[in-house]
């Protein structure tokens, strides 16, 4: 709600924690980020336990911006 990266899809951690189906093949490349990096790290662990094979945690918003992500408020 505070800011996001253009083109990103919002998937709340609670949805992943509840076992919500992403409707994506387990081979799909998934990049995660959140405001601070804590929730994205937890989401990565949960997705990998669910069988997703190519999950990258980019960390918090400051780290994403530092590697070239454009923050939209």
């Amino acid at each position: 709600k505070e800011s996001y990266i253009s083109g990103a899809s919002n998937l709340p951690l609670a949805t992943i924690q509840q076992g919500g189906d992403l409707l994506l093949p387990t081979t799909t490349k998934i990049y995660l980020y959140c405001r601070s990096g804590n929730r994205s790290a937890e989401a990565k662990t949960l997705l990998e336990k669910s069988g997703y094979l190519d999950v990258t945690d980019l960390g918090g918003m400051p780290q994403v911006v530092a590697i070239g992500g454009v923050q939209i408020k």
Side-chain angles (χ1 to χ4, degrees):
K1 293 179 181 179
E2 294 176 20
S3 60
Y4 64 97
I5 302 300
S6 181
S9 297
N10 182 27
L11 181 63
L13 178 59
T15 301
I16 298 170
Q17 289 169 325
Q18 295 169 2
D21 191 353
L22 300 184
L23 302 175
L24 297 171
T26 57
T27 56
T28 301
K29 179 80 174 156
I30 299 173
Y31 294 96
L32 303 169
Y33 72 93
C34 65
R35 185 179 50 80
S36 68
N38 294 326
R39 286 167 292 157
S40 60
E42 185 176 345
K44 180 182 191 310
T45 299
L46 292 170
L47 289 171
E48 289 174 340
K49 285 181 180 179
S50 295
Y52 286 89
L53 305 171
D54 200 358
V55 182
T56 302
D57 178 14
L58 299 174
M61 184 61 80
Q63 290 80 21
V64 174
V65 171
I67 62 171
V70 178
Q71 182 177 1
I72 298 174
K73 295 183 179 190

